[in-house]
Amino acid sequence: MAKINENYSKLPGNYLFSEIARRIQAYRAAHPEADIIRLGIGDVTQPLAPAVVDALHRAVTEMGQAETFRGYGPEQGYDFLIEKIIENDYKPLGVQLDMDEVFISDGAKCDTGNIQEIFSQDSIIAVTDPVYPVYVDSNVMAGRTGVLGADGRYERIVYLPCTEANSLKPELPEVPVDLIYLCFPNNPTGMTLKKDELKVWVDYARANQAIILFDAAYEAFIQEPDIPHSIYEVEGAKEVAIEFRSYSKTAGFTGTRCAYTVVPKTVMAYDSDGKSHSLNKLWLRRQTTKFNGVSYPIQVAAAAIYTPEGQAQIKSVIDYYMTNARIIREGLTQAGFKVYGGVNAPYIWLKTPDNLSSWEFFDKLLSEVQVVGTPGAGFGPSGEGYFRLTAFGSRENTERAMERIKSLKL
Ligand code: MLT
């Protein structure tokens, strides 16, 4: 008899964004005429940069000609893209990386979800709360978390609450942990850590033989000069941190799919005899076994963002989204909401009015002004009473959404 992985039964019914999509669909079925503005899932709306589109066309033409056709590529990515990443994304920060420390993939979601496979089953994981749900759900599926309690917490996960009391910045865990997921600029709160604040985590990991899984998917949205773009800007981080980056939001690749993960060869973890092992080797083994690389045209397209035209074009789209973020922040503040984030990140985190729960506020926005956001409770128990809006909408929809929210009867 085939038996299921019963860890899946420990998950909440639907993945957060699937649940939101389900509710929108139900509302649309009941109100087919509704003009719904979606600022829920952080999905980009502006088209690919012309430099990217040109590169894609060229690469597709190459694939159609016998002399330039390519079959399987290297699982960890083509050198032409890895070289550009090291030169453009890390060298200017003073971070040196070797070619075999960068792994191209089809998404930071997949990589942050899959990375847990190379760690022991009994690892204790720590997550900020609220948190991007993939880190938690992937560990639940792997059987590492125990069951979900009535308080919305899994019994074996260590939660690091990010609340107004600590200015939405996590504090070190009070019990020993092995793996720490950090995402900065943060999804969902839009908050950032300065270098000295990040150093506290690197020092903790070094002192406790823990590993930091650092999701930097939103680093390109940082506007202020004193915010680190990479955890490797902190001394010692190359001993204890794996970093995830993505072209999804940086270059509009949510539907195109390309990202990369940095696993320095100096990052070690231990077997049950206490012998150290390079995580770079384990991740290489995992990727070469289970992943066949990102397609050649897509990697060529990603490399095109590093040309001078590509850089200028993606920067102008990022500026566009960050102007949306400012419009949302200012609009909500004028309407009397308490808001966080949106300065160095494309997400705005707001406190729900009148002590409404996150899902009550979701339903109110959808039914009264047809605006969709993401309920904070979907990101963890400390997200209850908060709500997230994304700056990735079109300018027109962002402005219309703000007008509608200002008209809400509270
Ligand atoms: C979000 O809305 O949090 C993101 O779109 C999720 C993702 O990038 O997978």
Side-chain angles (χ1 to χ4, degrees):
M1 185 201 314
K3 293 193 175 159
I4 62 157
N5 173 355
E6 289 191 23
N7 294 313
Y8 277 64
S9 316
K10 299 173 187 157
L11 292 164
N14 284 329
Y15 180 61
L16 173 61
F17 294 107
S18 315
E19 173 60 20
I20 291 172
R22 193 190 64 74
R23 291 195 187 206
I24 298 170
Q25 212 170 7
Y27 184 83
R28 214 188 271 289
H31 306 88
E33 75 302 336
D35 170 23
I36 299 173
I37 300 177
R38 298 174 77 147
L39 301 181
I41 190 166
D43 194 4
V44 293
T45 52
Q46 299 306 297
L48 292 172
V52 168
V53 175
D54 287 349
L56 262 176
H57 283 302
R58 278 198 310 276
V60 169
T61 302
E62 281 181 50
M63 292 295 275
Q65 292 169 353
E67 311 76 52
T68 46
F69 170 78
R70 297 177 188 232
Y72 290 128
E75 292 92 342
Q76 55 274 57
Y78 284 104
D79 284 355
F80 65 77
L81 179 55
I82 296 176
E83 272 164 18
K84 292 228 159 23
I85 289 168
I86 293 175
E87 279 300 309
N88 294 277
D89 291 348
Y90 288 99
K91 264 221 181 116
L93 304 177
V95 177
Q96 307 295 324
L97 293 174
D98 292 341
M99 295 288 288
D100 55 359
E101 294 181 311
V102 178
F103 297 79
I104 311 295
S105 78
D106 59 350
K109 177 179 182 177
C110 327
D111 285 357
T112 55
N114 291 330
I115 195 77
Q116 45 77 29
E117 281 184 28
I118 66 171
F119 295 99
S120 152
Q121 189 67 18
D122 59 7
S123 304
I124 300 292
I125 72 157
V127 296
T128 60
D129 172 21
V131 69
Y132 178 44
V134 169
Y135 316 150
V136 170
D137 288 6
S138 56
N139 278 285
V140 175
M141 291 169 177
R144 206 171 271 119
T145 61
V147 295
L148 186 61
D151 61 354
R153 294 180 164 85
Y154 285 94
E155 53 188 353
R156 293 192 70 238
I157 291 184
V158 174
Y159 291 84
L160 309 169
C162 296
T163 61
E164 286 178 286
N166 56 20
S167 308
L168 303 175
K169 294 185 180 185
E171 287 158 45
L172 289 175
E174 285 165 9
V175 294
V177 301
D178 306 307
L179 306 177
I180 304 159
Y181 289 84
L182 294 179
C183 173
F184 288 100
N186 188 257
N187 179 11
T189 66
M191 298 298 277
T192 48
L193 292 187
K194 296 217 166 115
K195 203 162 161 183
D196 55 335
E197 294 169 323
L198 203 48
K199 183 174 182 305
V200 171
W201 290 92
V202 171
D203 291 348
Y204 172 91
R206 291 173 84 188
N208 293 279
Q209 298 180 318
I211 297 291
I212 298 172
L213 302 167
F214 191 74
D215 187 346
Y218 299 95
E219 62 76 31
F221 294 85
I222 293 172
Q223 308 289 308
E224 294 177 325
D226 56 343
I227 307 294
H229 285 247
S230 165
I231 194 165
Y232 303 124
E233 291 178 59
V234 177
E235 200 199 325
K238 277 171 81 177
E239 291 165 28
V240 290
I242 291 174
E243 179 162 291
F244 305 89
R245 289 205 182 183
S246 170
Y247 298 106
S248 283
K249 316 294 158 73
T250 308
F253 271 51
T254 53
T256 307
R257 310 308 305 155
C258 198
Y260 63 89
T261 291
V262 177
V263 192
K265 284 176 282 193
T266 39
V267 183
M268 298 289 169
Y270 303 86
D271 65 21
S272 43
D273 297 326
K275 184 167 168 279
S276 67
H277 293 261
S278 156
L279 291 180
N280 178 285
K281 266 197 185 151
L282 264 65
W283 186 242
L284 178 67
R285 187 69 176 83
R286 192 266 171 212
Q287 290 297 81
T288 48
T289 303
K290 296 195 176 182
F291 183 60
N292 248 338
V294 175
S295 79
Y296 173 71
I298 300 300
Q299 291 191 61
V300 170
I305 74 158
Y306 296 105
T307 58
E309 317 80 79
Q311 283 293 290
Q313 291 162 1
I314 63 165
K315 187 171 176 315
S316 105
V317 178
I318 289 170
D319 289 347
Y320 174 93
Y321 291 135
M322 290 312 288
T323 301
N324 285 351
R326 183 176 53 71
I327 291 167
I328 297 173
R329 270 179 70 87
E330 290 176 359
L332 291 173
T333 307
Q334 276 164 22
F337 288 90
K338 194 156 191 193
V339 298
Y340 297 89
V343 175
N344 292 299
Y347 294 124
I348 294 88
W349 188 244
L350 60 113
K351 195 148 178 50
T352 59
D354 303 331
N355 289 324
L356 290 177
S357 78
S358 306
W359 281 106
E360 282 167 351
F361 189 62
F362 174 92
D363 289 334
K364 182 176 172 73
L365 272 191
L366 179 57
S367 61
E368 293 181 20
V369 291
Q370 290 78 50
V371 173
V372 174
T374 308
F379 296 104
S382 296
E384 183 53 280
Y386 292 88
F387 199 76
R388 193 194 76 175
L389 291 175
T390 151
F392 288 122
S394 67
R395 176 66 41 76
E396 189 195 354
N397 276 347
T398 303
E399 286 171 344
R400 288 167 65 226
M402 282 309 105
E403 288 314 311
R404 291 189 192 181
I405 291 176
K406 283 183 200 165
S407 75
L408 262 183
K409 305 226 174 352
L410 296 169

